[in-house]
Amino acid sequence: MVMGYDYGDLADMGDGTSEENYETEAANSGPRHKIVTDDNGNVTLKIGSEVDDEADGQESAAADGDATEVDDEDGFDPSGYMFVTGQAQTIDIPVMNMTGGDAKLTVYVDWNNDGAFDGTDEMHSTTVADLATTAQITVTPPTASTTLNDELGFRIRLTTDVAMSPEGDASDGEIEDYLITVMGFDYGDLIDGTAGTDEQDYQTQSANGGPSHKIITNEDDMALLKIGAELDDEADGQQSSNATGDVTDIDDEDGFDPSAIMFQTNMPEDITIPVMNMTGEQAKLVFYIDWNND
């Protein structure tokens, strides 16, 4: 009897985990699934339409090392989804379960980009019933802790095994590895009670057309354009009566101190705003002040 195993293909630079360094190769306890077939040689449990066997993990920088002879990485298309911090994203994954019993589909996402799948909300699973052809999993990139604008490991495992981890052996099924990118946005926090505008009622929430800024970063994950020293991402506008809703996780409202200035009608006031622009081009800073309180 000859057995075959399916392996993953996320980057694996050596033992242990770190950014762009996952456990993929067999020597590093990388995951593998025994390919199980019926009497006619048909695979009984798989992700997508194809599955092939390898001698070892097919580690590669782009997570495409397992697409050479047979492209069996066909269960998920990252380009078909837009991942944004704080926003739920439901993923449809084609599967086939002909085992006669339930199987489990597990998705691991390396939100904090440390090469391990043990952080907050980095593991999600669902039951795949016998004869099922599709599975759904909803993931939400965490605000404040997700690495933005970088390639993050995305691992899918399907097996009838009850216990499952990102590494190690599985008695059946398949593994597929991918890379995804997550965006983050900064919102305002003026009070916003209704869709329109009125005294103490500004457009802050996204549903009311509130302003949002995509956070751009360099290769070291540092923000390239910001007001003040701090910048964080939110899922939506943080409307609040005192305009302090955006100071919870990180107080990034550090570009202006109203208590340091006394405004008087018909009297000019010079305001100094700390900013940082590392974009390589000019940016524009704009002030909006609701003088008539409408």
Side-chain angles (χ1 to χ4, degrees):
M1 178 182 293
V2 178
M3 293 184 293
Y5 289 86
D6 180 54
Y7 287 81
D9 58 5
L10 279 171
D12 186 358
M13 300 297 101
D15 189 28
T17 57
S18 58
E19 182 175 350
E20 298 181 4
N21 182 30
Y22 296 88
E23 291 171 319
T24 298
E25 300 294 292
N28 300 326
S29 301
R32 69 173 186 172
H33 289 243
K34 181 181 178 182
I35 299 174
V36 177
T37 57
D38 60 19
D39 293 340
N40 297 316
N42 298 310
V43 177
T44 57
L45 187 63
K46 61 184 177 179
I47 302 166
S49 60
E50 301 289 343
V51 59
D52 63 358
D53 59 295
E54 299 94 30
D56 201 345
Q58 305 297 297
E59 77 87 17
S60 55
D64 59 358
D66 193 12
T68 52
E69 296 179 3
V70 176
D71 185 2
D72 70 332
E73 304 290 284
D74 57 356
F76 172 62
D77 180 5
S79 68
Y81 297 88
M82 184 173 72
F83 294 95
V84 179
T85 56
Q87 298 185 16
Q89 180 68 259
T90 298
I91 302 166
D92 294 301
I93 300 175
V95 296
M96 187 184 75
N97 180 7
M98 302 291 288
T99 64
D102 287 346
K104 182 165 71 172
L105 181 78
T106 308
V107 170
Y108 303 92
V109 192
D110 182 20
W111 299 125
N112 61 358
N113 201 25
D114 66 351
F117 295 103
D118 56 1
T120 303
D121 295 327
E122 291 196 339
M123 184 184 78
H124 306 264
S125 64
T126 188
T127 298
V128 177
D130 185 42
L131 303 180
T133 58
T134 187
Q136 280 191 340
I137 283 186
T138 299
V139 301
T140 304
T143 57
S145 61
T146 297
T147 299
L148 305 177
N149 312 314
D150 209 343
E151 292 181 325
L152 311 178
F154 188 102
R155 174 165 285 171
I156 308 172
R157 301 192 72 175
L158 175 65
T159 180
T160 59
D161 293 352
V162 175
M164 183 49 49
S165 72
E167 304 84 28
D169 291 349
S171 63
D172 56 10
E174 185 183 0
I175 172 174
E176 294 188 2
D177 283 343
Y178 300 90
L179 294 172
I180 67 166
T181 302
V182 180
M183 296 183 292
F185 291 83
D186 180 54
Y187 288 82
D189 60 3
L190 279 171
I191 190 169
D192 183 7
T194 63
T197 57
D198 202 342
E199 182 177 345
Q200 293 296 295
D201 186 10
Y202 297 88
Q203 291 172 315
T204 298
Q205 301 299 103
S206 59
N208 299 331
S212 66
H213 289 244
K214 181 181 177 182
I215 299 173
I216 57 173
T217 54
N218 61 14
E219 292 183 357
D220 296 319
D221 303 322
M222 304 297 293
L224 297 177
L225 187 65
K226 61 183 180 179
I227 303 168
E230 300 292 341
L231 174 63
D232 65 356
D233 58 299
E234 298 97 29
D236 200 347
Q238 306 297 296
Q239 76 89 23
S240 56
S241 58
N242 296 320
T244 57
D246 194 14
V247 299
T248 50
D249 293 327
I250 298 173
D251 184 0
D252 72 333
E253 303 288 286
D254 57 354
F256 174 58
D257 181 7
S259 67
I261 298 175
M262 184 174 67
F263 292 99
Q264 300 180 59
T265 57
N266 297 319
M267 294 289 292
E269 189 68 53
D270 291 330
I271 302 173
T272 301
I273 304 295
V275 299
M276 186 185 77
N277 180 8
M278 301 293 287
T279 63
E281 57 185 305
Q282 289 185 345
K284 179 162 55 171
L285 182 72
V286 183
F287 261 71
Y288 302 93
I289 307 177
D290 182 23
W291 295 125
N292 64 353
N293 198 26
D294 68 348

